[in-house]
Amino acid sequence: MTCEQAQPLLSAYVDRELDITKSLETEDHLRECPRCSAALQQHEALRSALNAASLAFVAPTGLERRVRKALRREAQPKVLLTIAPWRWAAVPMAATLAAALTWSVAIHRGGTTGEDVVLSDLVAGHVRSLMVDHLVDVATSDQHTVKPWFNGKVDFAPPVADFTASGFPLVGGRVDYIAGRPAAALVYRRRQHVVNVFIWPSGQQEAEALRNVTFDTYHLLRWSASGLTFWAVSDVSGADLESLERLFQNPA
Ligand SMILES: [Zn+2]
């Protein structure tokens, strides 16, 4: 066997997909060829890196079950369409973000209260919006474009406003899924940081007794207005989130 014959087989050899004859021929060649042996080591390193848990985002325990349960409650097919398949698919991610998700998974293991579910979904939604290139579905600072975009996607009308003049430019919006219900997500920038504001009708989810929550480097701030619950999630300071809340509560 030559190098040209061996090289294309290495990946299959690592995955034990070759038949016995090809496998033995490849082994014979590898014994006498340093170049192909080095290539084999790279294949093996890549294979174990891909298998390492730190490279894959595992959806929080019970997420799929909760979503499916919620879907059974929902008769409206349009709700089905708002859930992207990557919700519970393995999502490759930068290793630096793995730590950010660790607590979110841990909280599911530690307890299963409604508050845990809401909080972990909020931060998971925020982190995922940053890491899978899914920050917004509608990207514009024009509030008059974002507001009607939500028509038919959620069954309530989120208040959409651009706060550029106050240091919170609107980036856009998307539909997210928090504790088994669709939520509107408005995305703002605060200096170099991203703030997700999740909105849904009050009384539909738990955690409404909470106000200020800090998890690791993330701050979460909840408020209510006009029958809607708002959760701002970001790594900016709690004071910044309170400024944003004031803008929502007293739009100019
Ligand atoms: Zn070779």
Side-chain angles (χ1 to χ4, degrees), residues 61-70 72 88 112:
T61 310
L63 175 62
E64 181 172 0
R65 180 178 45 76
R66 290 202 312 279
V67 171
R68 289 192 185 286
K69 194 170 146 199
R72 279 198 295 276
W88 48 76
T112 53

Side-chain angles (χ1 to χ4, degrees), residues 6 11 16 26 28 33 42 50 81 101 121 124 135-136 141 147 170 212 240 252:
S11 176
R16 291 169 172 66
T26 307
D28 283 345
C33 177
Q42 284 181 356
L50 288 174
L81 297 175
L101 281 157
D121 279 5
L135 189 58
V136 290
S141 60
K147 192 169 175 62
L170 177 66
N212 262 305
D240 274 342

Side-chain angles (χ1 to χ4, degrees), residues 180-237:
R181 298 283 311 203
L186 298 179
V187 180
Y188 291 89
R189 282 209 182 274
R190 178 60 163 173
R191 296 179 294 270
Q192 298 308 311
H193 302 265
V194 168
V195 183
N196 271 284
V197 179
F198 297 92
I199 307 169
W200 60 75
S202 297
Q204 292 192 347
Q205 281 142 1
E206 299 181 53
E208 296 199 346
L210 298 177
R211 159 79 179 156
N212 262 305
V213 183
T214 301
F215 276 120
D216 194 13
T217 57
Y218 297 99
H219 291 111
L220 296 85
L221 181 71
R222 189 199 61 81
W223 69 89
S224 307
S226 311
L228 297 173
T229 291
F230 297 72
W231 273 103
V233 185
S234 183
D235 57 350
V236 301
S237 71

Side-chain angles (χ1 to χ4, degrees), residues 1-4 6-7 29-30 32-37:
M1 185 179 275
T2 65
C3 291
E4 286 66 37
Q7 299 262 348
H29 178 78
L30 285 167
E32 60 199 30
C33 177
R35 194 156 69 93
C36 287
S37 293

Side-chain angles (χ1 to χ4, degrees), residues 44-109:
E44 282 170 339
L46 179 65
R47 188 176 190 270
S48 46
L50 288 174
N51 286 340
S54 62
L55 278 178
F57 167 66
V58 179
T61 310
L63 175 62
E64 181 172 0
R65 180 178 45 76
R66 290 202 312 279
V67 171
R68 289 192 185 286
K69 194 170 146 199
L71 287 176
R72 279 198 295 276
R73 277 203 308 270
E74 294 287 342
Q76 304 155 350
K78 67 181 180 183
V79 175
L80 281 161
L81 297 175
T82 62
I83 303 156
W86 54 262
R87 280 283 165 203
W88 48 76
V91 178
M93 54 181 265
T96 47
L97 282 166
L101 281 157
T102 307
W103 73 265
S104 138
V105 175
I107 209 171
H108 277 275
R109 290 187 182 142

